[in-house]
Amino acid sequence: MKKFEFEIHEHMFYNRHVHFVIHNDTTDAYESSIRAASVQHPFMKYVLAIANEYNRSIKIVDAGANIGTFSLPLAVFGHTILAIEMLPENIACLSRACLVNNLTNYTIAAMALYSAPSQMYSKNWGAYGGIDITNESGNACYGDTLAHIMQIFGFADADVIKIDIEGSELAALEGFAEISTYNKNVEIIYESNSMCSASFGYTSQELIEKFEILGFRNYLIRAGGDELIRITSECPQPGILEDILATRKPEEEISQNGFAIRNLRVGEIIEQLHEQAFSDNRHHQQHVARELKYLPLKCSNDRRFRQLVEHLRNIPDDTIAKALLEGVMYFRH
């Protein structure tokens, strides 16, 4: 038997006290940041605006709930939550947090998310744990699609879905067309991590395209949660990790709720890619190399673009070399 030891940390969200429970043995950067200060999801303001617009308690699915930094504050505000989490340590933290925060509107589904009902296995734990499709050495748990789990727990009519499942997002959306057809007003907030996507054999652009096919428009979040930036599946992803909103809501309505909307500028993409290329983080450098083929052809004349390409060419990394070759072929044609 493995005994869990917990820490409880209290933070304020819009004048509400929220208690987070952290496993004592967790040492990753994410949990360490929660020990130090409150961590507010970039789209928290947007979700609260939805609730204010509807003037009622809304239903929220937190897929990949971790220890509840997104969904616990919303539950404290009175909204109804389905938290989907596969890792035992995180499930224990969520369960204890429900007691500490005196929540009766928070349901925990101890399940993994993937493309079909199956037995899954985990890798790692804490903030960066996820499913492992290559071996059976981790903790075993039941896995299913997001659509099935929402139907099982009575959340097919959810107002908001947040998805952050370390690369298995595209697989978990298998069969989601049924939910999105039935639930016309659902809005999805998802994390696109190009490194995790690559490990599962797809691109960030393919994930965005999945939502486009279902009739959603996609937006990045900026300026402290006040600005939404239009993106498409033909755009490069500026950062290795981006939080994205998929919505069918008319832009006039979004603007009326206090959010500015604009197009993604080529200059800011190159600036962000340039910064990552010259970082010491190999995953960020690989991300930049992968995104080059999505840049407009006119970018080849940009000084910063040429600098980052030359810099990446000098890095001994097979992933970077292969992605650079694809990018060079694109610009030649």
Side-chain angles (χ1 to χ4, degrees), residues 166-187:
E166 302 303 307
S168 56
E169 285 84 359
L170 189 60
L173 290 168
E174 185 70 31
F176 189 74
E178 181 180 349
I179 294 285
S180 67
T181 300
Y182 159 77
N183 188 349
K184 298 292 186 182
N185 295 321
V186 66
E187 300 193 62

Side-chain angles (χ1 to χ4, degrees), residues 12-83:
M12 296 292 292
F13 286 82
Y14 298 95
N15 298 317
R16 300 285 186 94
H17 295 272
V18 182
H19 296 87
F20 298 96
V21 178
I22 301 176
H23 193 287
N24 272 357
D25 293 338
T26 309
T27 58
D28 61 60
Y30 187 75
E31 265 82 2
S32 296
S33 66
I34 298 168
R35 289 182 174 99
S38 62
V39 175
Q40 182 169 309
H41 192 279
F43 275 104
M44 181 67 73
K45 183 176 180 179
Y46 186 86
V47 175
L48 293 175
I50 292 173
N52 185 63
E53 178 184 352
Y54 292 162
N55 194 29
R56 60 170 170 80
S57 171
I58 62 174
K59 296 179 75 172
I60 300 165
V61 176
D62 188 0
N66 191 254
I67 64 167
T69 51
F70 176 75
S71 52
L72 282 175
L74 292 166
V76 170
F77 298 151
H79 304 298
T80 306
I81 308 296
L82 173 64

Side-chain angles (χ1 to χ4, degrees), residues 254 278 319:
I254 296 173
F278 283 88
T319 299

Side-chain angles (χ1 to χ4, degrees), residues 301-312:
N301 296 320
D302 188 286
R303 175 181 55 83
R304 292 167 301 172
F305 172 82
R306 295 195 299 270
Q307 285 178 340
L308 71 84
V309 170
E310 288 305 314
H311 179 68
L312 292 176

